[in-house]
Amino acid sequence: MPKLIFFTLMLVLMTSCGTTARMIEIGSDEDLTTISSIDPRDWQKAAADSISAMLESGALKRADGRKNVVMISRIRNYTLQHLDSRLLTAKMRQAILASGQAIVTFAIGNSSNIDLAVRRIRDKEYDDLFDQSTVQKRGTVIAPDLSLSGSITQQTTVQGRTEESYFVFHLVLTDLKTGLALWENNVEIAKQGTHSIFE
């Protein structure tokens, strides 16, 4: 009988520990922090730090006053989890445009950063359904001057119940005419925690 009472109490305690879901502010102290994966707070920090470093470097600017055209290339994922790099590149793209230092092309780049309509509308060049004077012509798309690419890597170390993960968000801005890197930056994030003895 005592065992039955004990397990009943444990069941009640376990079911009563849940909390109701609620909204929180992004980047607040209430964000969940995991040890072995990348959290929203990590994305926010990587994007903000990278954006700041790139804009302050002046690498986007041209001496002739014309704005460079930037393509968003591939961000390779070398971590242990599936990541949607659009979370990082979208923030960087928005910051580039907002800065007024350069403009961004959607005609070419990584598949997640391409607007397929740019090419598809030109496929209607001989389609009699369309008024041909309104169809965008071939040979008018502006090619990029610069490419923004990078990688996200992870190293994890475990000692007993303590785990430490080290993430590096690496970005490089390449001059497509010369192939030379104009700017390169790492944002490093290290996280450590001790797992419960019951895990």
Side-chain angles (χ1 to χ4, degrees):
M1 188 67 175
K3 286 185 179 179
L4 179 60
I5 294 173
F6 173 77
F7 285 118
T8 302
L9 285 172
M10 288 298 292
L11 183 61
V12 170
L13 286 172
M14 289 170 62
T15 56
S16 64
C17 288
T19 58
T20 304
R22 61 193 176 88
M23 299 290 289
I24 63 169
E25 291 293 325
I26 296 294
S28 73
D29 292 337
E30 297 179 289
D31 282 354
L32 290 176
T33 301
T34 60
I35 304 169
S36 57
S37 60
I38 297 174
D39 308 315
R41 182 181 300 186
D42 303 327
W43 284 115
Q44 295 290 325
K45 175 176 172 50
D49 290 357
S50 297
I51 289 165
S52 177
M54 183 169 59
L55 296 181
E56 289 176 7
S57 73
L60 290 174
K61 296 179 181 178
R62 294 175 59 103
D64 61 9
R66 182 176 76 80
K67 290 183 179 180
N68 273 314
V69 178
V70 181
M71 67 175 278
I72 307 298
S73 191
R74 186 174 180 184
I75 306 293
R76 296 179 180 272
N77 174 23
Y78 297 112
T79 71
L80 303 177
Q81 66 185 108
H82 171 73
L83 297 173
D84 189 343
S85 61
R86 288 177 296 185
L87 294 171
L88 179 64
T89 58
K91 286 192 170 293
M92 298 199 69
R93 183 176 62 245
Q94 292 160 14
I96 290 171
L97 292 171
S99 73
Q101 295 186 19
I103 50 182
V104 180
T105 179
F106 274 85
I108 189 171
N110 189 33
S111 59
S112 61
N113 295 294
I114 292 179
D115 186 343
L116 296 177
V118 175
R119 183 171 296 277
R120 286 177 177 168
I121 191 59
R122 286 163 175 78
D123 292 339
K124 306 303 178 185
E125 190 173 4
Y126 301 107
D127 191 330
D128 60 10
L129 181 65
F130 289 87
D131 177 345
Q132 289 300 301
S133 67
T134 67
V135 175
Q136 299 300 325
K137 304 304 179 188
R138 296 177 185 276
T140 60
V141 175
I142 306 300
D145 304 296
L146 308 175
S147 172
L148 182 63
S149 61
S151 63
I152 306 169
T153 58
Q154 173 182 0
Q155 290 182 327
T156 300
T157 304
V158 178
Q159 183 174 342
R161 291 188 292 112
T162 300
E163 180 177 342
E164 181 174 290
S165 290
Y166 174 68
F167 298 94
V168 178
F169 294 78
H170 173 255
L171 291 169
V172 60
L173 188 68
T174 304
D175 184 327
L176 293 174
K177 181 178 181 180
T178 64
L180 301 177
L182 300 180
W183 169 84
E184 193 169 9
N185 186 67
N186 286 342
V187 174
E188 303 173 359
I189 297 174
K191 302 197 288 186
Q192 186 184 96
T194 302
H195 294 285
S196 168
I197 193 171
F198 299 107
E199 290 185 8

